[in-house]
Amino acid sequence: LIEGNALINALTAAHQHINKENESKPLSNKGGASVLVGALAENVMSFITTGNCTLYLYRKGKITNVILPDSLNFLCRDQFVGHRSSIPLSGLGLFEDVHYYLREIKIAEGDILIFLTDGIFSYVDENEIKYAVEKNADQEVEILKTLVKMANDRGNLDNQTGLVLQF
């Protein structure tokens, strides 16, 4: 879709901009970012991601991981040390080339999308995400508060970002 093409162009431009900013900086001062962005057109949502972000879809009582993080976490899949393997394999400004993943899904009424960074997803599993959604069904902020509390109670020291969209 045209929205997917727009997302690819925006991600590529952002990557080039950050790389240009990083050129003159010492390694310890260079910046980078993991990104997960969506664009909705009618009932189709296009997503583009690079780095340490993931997306879950809650639909009719079932939780599905729609986008896996591009990190060592994906390769390791060890549920007991997920936070130790959440090192991004790609990201904006981190490497010369950016590796991205584009996905499009149809959205249905009642769907809930849960966008998470590694400060949350590497400390919780799919069943806990499902629990947080079902416990706080119509309260997006409470879903995130539940997940952040779980992650922090398990020793998280990383930054945390999450977004919940209900349709």
Side-chain angles (χ1 to χ4, degrees):
L1 297 176
I2 194 167
E3 291 79 12
N5 287 332
L7 291 173
I8 291 169
N9 291 337
L11 184 110
T12 302
H15 177 69
Q16 290 170 350
H17 176 76
I18 294 171
N19 268 347
K20 186 174 181 181
E21 289 288 318
N22 281 339
E23 281 178 0
S24 61
K25 295 179 181 179
L27 182 60
S28 61
N29 291 340
K30 292 184 179 188
S34 295
V35 176
L36 172 56
V37 180
L40 182 64
E42 309 253 343
N43 69 333
V44 176
M45 192 143 187
S46 301
F47 301 95
I48 194 163
T49 186
T50 185
N52 248 349
C53 300
T54 192
L55 175 69
Y56 288 90
L57 167 66
Y58 180 84
R59 177 182 284 165
K60 297 181 180 179
K62 185 177 178 188
I63 191 89
T64 305
N65 193 200
V66 176
I67 294 178
L68 293 170
D70 189 12
S71 69
L72 290 178
N73 194 1
F74 172 67
L75 298 175
C76 174
R77 304 303 283 174
D78 185 339
Q79 68 184 22
F80 299 107
V81 293
H83 62 282
R84 293 186 189 143
S85 59
S86 64
I87 299 163
L89 298 177
S90 188
L92 299 183
L94 297 178
F95 307 100
E96 185 176 337
D97 294 321
V98 65
H99 174 260
Y100 60 85
Y101 178 71
L102 182 70
R103 175 101 193 255
E104 297 170 343
I105 63 170
K106 286 189 178 180
I107 300 295
E109 185 176 337
D111 283 355
I112 299 174
L113 295 175
I114 305 104
F115 296 69
L116 300 171
T117 61
D118 63 320
I120 301 173
F121 76 74
S122 62
Y123 289 88
V124 298
D125 65 29
E126 287 184 5
N127 290 326
E128 292 168 322
I129 295 169
K130 182 180 179 199
Y131 165 79
V133 170
E134 291 174 347
K135 177 182 174 196
N136 306 291
D138 294 325
Q139 303 172 29
E140 296 90 347
V141 172
E142 293 303 316
I143 293 169
L144 290 175
K145 282 183 179 179
T146 299
L147 294 172
V148 166
K149 182 172 178 3
M150 285 180 190
N152 289 344
D153 287 350
R154 295 172 184 164
N156 175 61
L157 298 175
D158 197 358
N159 59 2
Q160 300 164 312
T161 303
L163 175 69
V164 175
L165 300 177
Q166 294 195 37
F167 296 89

